[in-house]
Amino acid sequence: MQQLALFIRKEFIHVLRDRRTLLILFGMPVMQILIFGFALSNEVKNARLVVVDHGRDVATTALIARLDASRYFEVDQVALSPKALEAAFRRGDVKVAVVFPARFYERWQHGQEATVQIIADASDPNTANTLTQYVSAIVYDHASEQRGVQAPPYGIRVETRMLYNPQLEGAPNYVPGVMALVLMLVCVMMTAVSIVREKETGTLEVLLVSPFRPVLVIVAKAVPYLLLSLVNVGSILMLSTWALGVPVQGNLFLLLAESVLFITTCLSLGIFISVQTSSQQVAMLISLMGMLLPTILFSGFMFPIENMPVPLQVISNLVPAKWYYIIVKSIMIKGLGFAAVWKETLILAGMTAGWLIISVKRFNIRLA
C-alpha cells in the first residue's frame, strides 16, 4: 500500500504540473456546460413577431397584448400588404408573422370562423415549428379563457401537461448530456495518454524490472483522474444549479455514486486504449475522435435513438455515455431512485469489469 500511495502521489504531481492537462481537465467542462446551457439551446426567446391587424378590435388587441407579454416574442405591429410581408420574409427581416382578418371580433362573437393566420419562415424548420407552436398555444389559451363556461357541451377541450420540464427549457436536457460528454472525453483521453507516456519517455522499463504488480500500476494511473473528475462533477452540478437553474431533484449521493461508476468505466476504457497503442498522438486521436462522435450521436441527448435504424440502435448500446445519460436524467431531472436505474448501473459495471480484465491481461502480456 505504501508503494501504491507513492505511485499515486507521483501521478498527481505529473498531472498538476502540466498546465495543458489542467486546462483540459477543468477548463473544458466549465466551457462546455456554459456553451450548451446558454448558447446551444433549442428554445426560442425574444423572437421578433410581426403582427398585421386588419381587425383592430378588442379581441385582436387582447391577443396582441397576450403575445407581447410572452417571454418568447417581441411584438412589432405593422400594417403590411401581403406583397410587402412576403418581401420582408425574403429579406430575412421576419421569421414569423400573425395576420388577423377584418371583423375578427364580430365573427368570433357570432360563432363564425375567426381565423388567425400564422406565417413562418420554414427555411429553418425547427425554429419555424417552435415559433408556430408558441403562437398557437397562446392563441388557444386566450380563446379558452374567453369562452369560459359558455363553451358548447359537445366541444373537445385539450389540456397539456409537461412533466419534469413544464417550461420546455433546453438546460434540463443538455446538462445530463454535457456531464456524460465531458466525463467521457476527459477521463478516456487523460488515461489513454498516461501509460503511453511511460512508454515514450522510457520510464516503463523501470516498471518492468520493479516488483510493482501491473494491476497496481493501472490503479495508480486511474486514481488521480478519478478524484479530479469528481471535482469536475461537482463544478458541473454547481453551475447547473446556480447558473442554469437545474437543481438535483433526486438523491445527490446516488448521483455521485453513479458518477463514480461512470468515471471508472471511462478510465478503464482509457486504460484499454493506452495498453493497445504505442504513441500519445495515436492514443489521443482514438480517444478524442473515437469517443466524441459516438457520444454525441448515440447518447440520446442530441438525437433521439428511437428514430434511428435498428442497427444503429444496437450500436448505441455499446456507448457508455448512453446509459449514464439515462441515469442522470432519471435521478437529476425526474427525481427517481436506484430502482429506476439499476439496469443501467449493471451495464456500466459490466463494461468496467470487462475493460479492466482485458487491460490487465494485455498489460501482463507486454510485461512478459
Side-chain angles (χ1 to χ4, degrees):
M1 292 301 297
Q2 185 177 4
Q3 290 179 337
L4 179 60
L6 291 174
F7 204 95
I8 292 175
R9 181 173 177 270
K10 179 188 78 72
E11 290 298 320
F12 263 114
I13 294 174
H14 277 303
V15 173
L16 296 178
R17 72 182 181 184
D18 189 347
R19 294 182 179 179
R20 291 175 299 179
T21 301
L22 292 177
L23 181 62
I24 295 174
L25 277 172
F26 299 111
M28 187 170 70
V30 173
M31 291 301 300
Q32 286 195 350
I33 193 69
L34 293 177
I35 290 174
F36 276 88
F38 290 107
L40 302 181
S41 175
N42 55 7
E43 296 179 80
V44 179
K45 298 179 182 179
N46 301 320
R48 181 171 180 251
L49 173 66
V50 171
V51 175
V52 181
D53 185 8
H54 298 295
R56 297 185 179 276
D57 49 44
V58 293
T60 58
T61 302
L63 266 173
I64 293 171
R66 188 74 173 263
L67 291 168
D68 197 17
S70 170
R71 65 189 179 96
Y72 303 113
F73 300 111
E74 292 181 356
V75 175
D76 186 6
Q77 189 172 349
V78 295
L80 294 177
S81 64
K83 291 184 178 180
L85 186 61
E86 183 179 354
F89 272 105
R90 282 200 299 266
R91 293 193 304 268
D93 298 337
V94 181
K95 291 294 183 182
V96 63
V98 176
V99 180
F100 293 103
R103 300 169 55 202
F104 178 82
Y105 181 71
E106 180 181 344
R107 293 179 181 179
W108 189 11
Q109 287 295 102
H110 291 83
Q112 300 178 9
E113 182 179 0
T115 305
V116 178
Q117 185 181 22
I118 303 174
I119 307 173
D121 181 359
S123 59
D124 184 352
N126 292 330
T127 302
N129 185 51
T130 301
L131 291 174
T132 53
Q133 287 180 356
Y134 288 163
V135 174
S136 300
I138 293 173
V139 172
Y140 287 146
D141 287 344
H142 180 75
S144 178
E145 291 177 3
Q146 294 299 316
R147 284 199 306 264
V149 295
Q150 299 179 357
Y154 50 81
I156 299 176
R157 183 178 180 181
V158 179
E159 292 186 357
T160 303
R161 182 185 178 191
M162 297 294 180
L163 297 177
Y164 311 119
N165 185 15
Q167 300 298 327
L168 298 179
E169 297 176 347
N173 176 56
Y174 284 124
V175 169
V178 171
M179 287 180 65
L181 178 63
V182 167
L183 294 178
M184 189 78 183
L185 292 180
V186 171
C187 296
V188 173
M189 184 166 55
M190 291 295 98
T191 50
V193 175
S194 60
I195 295 178
V196 180
R197 187 190 299 119
E198 302 281 357
K199 299 176 186 178
E200 290 188 343
T201 57
T203 53
L204 186 62
E205 297 178 359
V206 178
L207 297 176
L208 292 174
V209 297
S210 69
F212 209 57
R213 290 190 297 171
V215 64
L216 295 181
V217 174
I218 292 177
V219 171
K221 290 286 184 183
V223 167
Y225 297 109
L226 172 62
L227 298 179
L228 294 174
S229 297
L230 283 176
V231 176
N232 278 333
V233 172
S235 64
I236 291 174
L237 292 179
M238 286 189 292
L239 282 173
S240 67
T241 302
W242 296 336
L244 303 178
V246 186
V248 180
Q249 300 293 343
N251 191 304
L252 177 60
F253 295 102
L254 176 60
L255 179 60
L256 292 177
E258 296 287 352
S259 298
V260 170
L261 174 60
F262 179 66
I263 292 170
T264 307
T265 305
C266 297
L267 294 176
S268 62
L269 177 57
I271 292 171
F272 172 76
I273 296 174
S274 184
V275 170
Q276 302 298 321
T277 54
S278 56
S279 67
Q280 295 187 56
Q281 288 79 7
V282 174
M284 187 169 293
L285 180 63
I286 294 175
S287 59
L288 184 59
M289 300 305 298
M291 294 297 106
L292 179 61
L293 288 179
T295 301
I296 293 177
L297 295 176
F298 298 122
S299 63
F301 89 98
M302 293 195 71
F303 306 101
I305 297 177
E306 296 79 6
N307 297 342
M308 298 180 182
V310 175
L312 294 182
Q313 295 185 30
V314 174
I315 294 175
S316 70
N317 295 328
L318 303 177
V319 180
K322 170 189 175 180
W323 307 108
Y324 182 67
Y325 174 65
I326 296 174
I327 291 172
V328 176
K329 273 205 313 181
S330 300
I331 299 174
M332 186 175 182
I333 307 301
K334 298 182 179 180
L336 303 178
F338 183 74
V341 297
W342 66 270
K343 293 181 181 179
E344 291 79 8
T345 304
L346 286 180
I347 292 174
L348 289 180
M351 290 181 176
T352 304
W355 281 321
L356 281 178
I357 291 172
I358 296 174
S359 298
V360 171
K361 288 186 176 181
R362 292 290 298 173
F363 199 61
N364 275 320
I365 292 173
R366 291 178 181 272
L367 286 176

